[in-house]
Amino acid sequence: MFTFVKILVVGSGAREHAIIRALVMGGDEVIAAPGNAGISREVPSVPLDIADSAQIAALAASEGVDLVVIGPELPLVNGAADAVRAAGIACFGPSAEAALLEGSKAFAKQVMAAAGVPTAMARVCTTMQEVDSALDGFGAPFVVKDDGLAGGKGVVVTEDRQSAADHAQQCLHRPGESAVVIEEYLDGPEVSLFAITDGVSVVPLQPAQDYKRVGEQDTGPNTGGMGAYSPLPWAPVDLVDDIVNRVIQPTVDRMRLDGIPFSGLLYAGLALTSRGLRVVEFNARFGDPETQAVLARLRSPLGPVLHAAATGTLAAAEPLHWSADAAVTVVLAAENYPASPVLGDVINGDERADALPDVQVLHAGTALAADGNLVSSGGRVLSIIGTGGDLTQARGRAYAGVAEISLRGSHYRRDIAQGKG
Ligand code: AMP
Ligand code: GLY
């Protein structure tokens, strides 16, 4: 029998806000670090440098939590989960070594090759000579990826060979980077599937689709994500099983057999191409903004399954129950996001929108100014989620929520959940 636990959630985005609401709804006691202005209205929040793994472990110990849930990739790649576990506290999130599945595209490609997981053909290049030959070999459209973490913005997909070569050159010259990945272009709709794992068993969540480009009709630069929806009515009925059997389970098994067990959340970003599904990327944590849509549909408590994954008991966990409803997330971004977001503008109407039926407003880049005003403090400011009987109803509610909110210079995409993104 599961008893409620005290959980520290590390991070400050709308993804963490969604995780926190799901945990609180399930009856758990939650503290957030560092959180944001919206999160601190709902649970106690304490300052934290998320890049400091020792500080995370010390906070977990001093607060006497039973479980730490790490939201973003940076602390995972830095070893925050290792530090928390070394302090004798359960942690939802992979070790630094296992988080390389996200932290190094070259490492992810090696694991996929060893596990027989379908992905784009790729070449890891360390010189411009290798880059030129790879670009010529694959042809246009060109796909050029920073090897390391880049917040979703390190990938350039372009028809223009010169821009492709320029991005590769920049990646090779980034401090601490020595490799750039050039790969085959994958055509077809993209799907995000999250799976909770303890390194052995796998529990998939519901699939979602994310909108990465800043502009409508997928124009402009890539962002951290401008919107998402779930479920995917157009997807094959066996999609989730197929991804678990061909991608998630083989990867989890390979990592364990290689002595780098992956526990936490394995996020597969896939393209459904004319030649079958292919992995575009792995991430080592919940995706943002898909999590906001996916968790809006979760009917089971979230705490027990995260705790089970963190303690190696996932096989015995209760199955998850999902609402048949649809959920749509629209991201409200600051002026000039993603290039150089303008911060410090006053936000109005978020609580009014959050109070609408079947609408939630989750905070990301928000802070309280000295005068008590809610102001923008990050590129992605708010996630507005609508739920309903189908995607049309859910998206109508999400945009009705957006309409309540004012933030000077802000922008959002009006085409979220309209067709395959
Ligand atoms: P990633 O950071 O690897 O997820 O890439 C960000 C985005 O770039 C993906 O969601 C895709 O939209 C696009 N992308 C990445 N790799 C490819 C590829 N091989 N073919 C086509 N698009 C890609
Ligand atoms: N939704 C994209 C990401 O979380 O990386």
Side-chain angles (χ1 to χ4, degrees), residues 332-399:
L332 187 75
E335 179 177 16
N336 220 11
Y337 174 79
S340 51
V342 179
L343 310 181
D345 282 303
V346 174
I347 303 161
N348 279 305
D350 66 296
E351 287 178 291
R352 201 164 53 239
D354 193 41
L356 292 174
D358 303 299
V359 175
Q360 287 190 66
V361 177
L362 300 175
H363 287 227
T366 67
L368 278 184
D371 60 7
N373 276 327
L374 182 70
V375 295
S376 55
S377 64
R380 292 189 293 177
V381 181
L382 299 170
S383 277
I384 298 92
I385 300 100
T387 48
D390 59 19
L391 284 172
T392 307
Q393 193 174 44
R395 87 186 276 283
R397 288 174 176 161
Y399 284 109

Side-chain angles (χ1 to χ4, degrees), residues 228-233 292-294 296-297 299 323-330 353 356-360 383-403 413-418:
Y229 66 95
S230 175
L232 311 175
Q292 293 87 302
V294 170
R297 301 183 51 226
R299 288 294 164 266
S323 157
D325 281 358
V328 173
T329 305
V330 177
L356 292 174
D358 303 299
V359 175
Q360 287 190 66
S383 277
I384 298 92
I385 300 100
T387 48
D390 59 19
L391 284 172
T392 307
Q393 193 174 44
R395 87 186 276 283
R397 288 174 176 161
Y399 284 109
V402 173
R413 279 182 63 162
R414 290 165 175 76
D415 62 348
I416 305 301
Q418 250 178 359

